[in-house]
Every structure is written in structure tokens, then in C-alpha cells.
Amino acid sequence: MQLIRRLFGVFARTRDRPPRIALALQGGGSHGAFTWGVLDRLLEDEQIEIAAISGTSAGALNAGVLASGYARGGRAQARASLDAFWRDVASAGAGFAPYAVTGLSRAFSPYLVNPLDFNPLRDITRRHVDEAALGAGPIALFVTATAVRTGRARVFRGAELGVAALLASACLPFLFHAVEIGGQAYWDGGYSANPALAPLVELAPQHDIVLVKINPLVREGVPSSGIEIMDRASEITFNASLIAELRGVAFVSKLLREHRLSAAKYRDPRLHMIADDDGLAPFAASSKLNTDIAFLERLRELGRNAASRFLDAHRADLGRRSSLDVERAFVDERPAT
């Protein structure tokens, strides 16, 4: 009888344990303030446990600040750290103004117009990230950058993590010099994985993967000006790697359901997505350099609201089933008949 009681107690604790989620955070410049709002809302909810984060570019910076703050003081400190980071970004935003206003970033090499490699993010990140906490804290962290020489994604983890890895992940080659780590040069991770899902798939099925998407897939109309064309081309490029990886995950899941692959060798993760394409669509890609605090706070509120809607609709799905239909959300574009 005592054995039965002990076993029932273990079952009850397992059943009541908050679902553990692994977050996949897209990059997107100052639009990462939307993700700030999502993270703030998720950290507010003690019925959810953030166990791992994979981030690229602004997603990597959000991840690093959150993981660092969480290691120092749990949820409350993580929320305070994100708030302080984004307000610091707004305060230092004038450093991006020459590129945003004149378009020099698209016309000239940063090695010419920025020979000393002035990067406002470097000092900001150093102020808000405790490097020792990144690889040693309770939240597993994966940060992706793109190797300039090979064009391949490099995922930094564990002892490899540091301010340099975060800056490499967020290194826009039109703005800043490539970041060198271990003799290799790196650019923004969005070119190769935005964000990398593979490290999170490895954690399935113990963790659900929640994608926080900030780059709209669809924009109505055809861009005609030079800047509009470059913005849309960049947006498509930064979504392409995510779409490809999601479709790969969905294809493996399909084969597993059809018993055409071994469940002992392949993972079938539960996938979810927090997004607000309608809310973010009015903001052109060029606004990703806008660091005005009112703009950032507006994005933050959109993110908090999107996370609240997700929790209202899909809280019961966490730990049980996927709520993201990849085929439907990322289906091939087909001509109308």
C-alpha cells in the first residue's frame, strides 16, 4: 500500500509539473522588442517553465539578457534585465541614426564609413549580460551566427557562449565589421538559421518548441523603390532558413506518424507559434533601425498581447500536442485557379 501511495505521489507531481518549453526566437532588429513583450508575458506566468532558448540576432540578444538575468535572480530579474536592456537600446539609439537616415549602410562598406567599428550594441550588451551565467545558468542557451567563409550556421552553446557570440549573431554586415571568434569571421545568424531549431528538436519530447516569429511572411503589393525592394528581399531571405527547417521537421513528423521512420532514432517535437503578422505588417523592414522608446514600447505591448492570446488558446496543448500546423502556416505559394 505504501508503494502504491509513493507511486501515485510521483505521478501526481509529474502531472502537476508546469510544462517545459524551448523558445525559438527570430531576429529582426528593433522589432525584437515584440519578442521582449512575449518573453515578459511568459516569464510572468509561473505555470510555464522556460527550459531552453535558441536565438538569432535580436533573438539571441533577448535570449542572452533573459538567461543572464534568470541565472542571477529568477523570473523577476529576467524581466527587469530585459526592460533595462531595451531602454538602454533606446537611449543609445542615436548611434544608428546616420545609417537609418542617409542609407549609407546600403551604399558603402562599414570598413569605409565606420573604420573604427563603432557598435552601440557592444557596450550595451556588456552592461546587461553576465557572461559567466550564459553557459552555467538553468536555461540552456543556443546562439546562431553565420560563418562568412562557408556561409554555414554556427551554433554557440555552453562554454562557447559570451558577448562575442551574441554580437556575432547580431552582426549586420552592412553596418558593422564581421565579428571574429577563434580565427573565424561571423555575420548575422539570420542568413543561415533564423533561428536554429535543431538544438531544440534534440530536447523533444520533454520540451515543447514555441517559435516567436517577428518577420511577416506576407506583404501585400509589389515594392517599387530601391529601399523597398532591398527591404523585402532581406525579409524573404531571413524567413527562408526558418521555413526550410520547419518543413524538414514537419516532414520527419509525417514519416513518424506513418511509421516509416523509427521513433527510437527520430524526434517528433510538439510545435507552437506566437506571432502577430497583422500587428507587425504595417512596420516596414526599414523600421528595424528605429529605436525610439515609444516605438519599442508599442512593439512590446503587441508582443505581450500576442503571448496572452496564445496562452488563452493553447495553454492546454502545452505538453500534450502541437498547436502549429506547419503545412498550413508555411505552405507553398500556388497560383489561383
Side-chain angles (χ1 to χ4, degrees):
M1 182 63 69
Q2 290 180 348
L3 177 61
I4 293 175
R5 289 197 186 103
R6 285 199 299 269
L7 290 174
F8 180 78
V10 171
F11 170 75
R13 287 194 298 273
T14 301
R15 180 188 59 191
D16 296 337
R17 183 179 299 162
R20 293 167 62 84
I21 62 173
L23 295 170
L25 309 182
Q26 265 199 321
S30 63
H31 290 192
F34 173 87
T35 303
W36 166 28
V38 170
L39 298 175
D40 187 68
R41 179 64 183 86
L42 294 178
L43 287 164
E44 188 178 72
D45 193 320
E46 296 188 359
Q47 298 306 308
I48 295 173
E49 182 179 348
I50 300 173
I53 309 177
S54 176
T56 291
S57 199
L61 295 172
N62 272 318
V65 172
L66 185 155
S68 176
Y70 199 99
R72 294 198 306 268
R75 295 171 183 269
Q77 184 57 54
R79 295 179 66 194
S81 295
L82 285 166
D83 187 273
F85 170 79
W86 281 101
R87 295 189 185 284
D88 203 354
V89 168
S91 297
F96 294 105
Y99 302 97
V101 174
T102 67
L104 285 175
S105 63
R106 300 301 179 95
F108 297 101
S109 162
Y111 294 88
L112 270 178
V113 299
N114 185 13
L116 299 180
D117 194 24
F118 172 67
N119 185 346
L121 281 176
R122 186 182 295 114
D123 290 338
I124 294 172
T125 304
R126 287 172 177 165
R127 283 195 291 269
H128 297 279
V129 171
D130 179 352
E131 288 189 311
L134 291 181
I139 297 177
L141 187 61
F142 307 96
V143 169
T144 302
T146 302
V148 177
R149 185 176 65 86
T150 65
R152 296 176 182 173
R154 165 75 186 277
V155 179
F156 295 88
R157 64 186 81 194
E160 301 171 332
L161 292 166
V163 168
L166 298 177
L167 293 174
S169 183
C171 178
L172 291 171
F174 297 106
L175 286 179
F176 308 119
H177 298 198
V179 175
E180 290 199 10
I181 301 175
Q184 297 293 323
Y186 294 96
W187 282 342
D188 196 294
Y191 293 108
S192 56
N194 194 18
L197 298 182
L200 304 184
V201 172
E202 293 174 3
L203 302 175
Q206 288 80 13
H207 307 71
D208 289 33
I209 298 175
V210 180
L211 167 67
V212 181
K213 186 172 73 67
I214 60 177
N215 294 314
L217 293 174
V218 177
R219 285 196 183 274
E220 299 301 333
V222 178
S224 56
S225 71
I227 188 66
E228 288 174 343
I229 292 170
M230 285 189 288
D231 280 351
R232 184 54 180 154
S234 176
E235 201 167 51
I236 291 170
T237 299
F238 273 56
N239 273 327
S241 58
L242 171 65
I243 294 172
E245 198 164 3
L246 275 172
R247 287 176 173 171
V249 171
F251 183 64
V252 169
S253 295
K254 178 177 181 292
L255 294 180
L256 284 169
R257 289 194 304 271
E258 295 172 352
H259 305 290
R260 296 165 62 187
L261 286 178
S262 169
K265 294 182 179 180
Y266 296 90
R267 309 294 176 90
D268 188 10
R270 293 180 293 271
L271 297 173
H272 313 273
M273 182 170 69
I274 299 176
D276 185 2
D277 279 13
D278 290 339
L280 290 171
F283 306 119
S286 55
S287 69
K288 291 178 180 180
L289 285 176
N290 182 354
T291 57
D292 178 77
I293 188 59
F295 179 66
L296 298 180
E297 287 180 335
R298 183 179 178 186
L299 292 173
R300 174 183 178 272
E301 197 59 27
L302 286 175
R304 280 187 57 86
N305 291 340
S308 291
R309 290 194 299 271
F310 169 79
L311 292 173
D312 289 343
H314 300 297
R315 183 186 295 275
D317 294 324
L318 294 175
R320 294 179 173 83
R321 66 187 73 86
S322 292
S323 64
L324 173 62
D325 184 339
V326 174
E327 293 299 324
R328 183 175 181 180
F330 299 92
V331 69
D332 289 334
E333 183 72 15
R334 299 183 184 278
T337 57

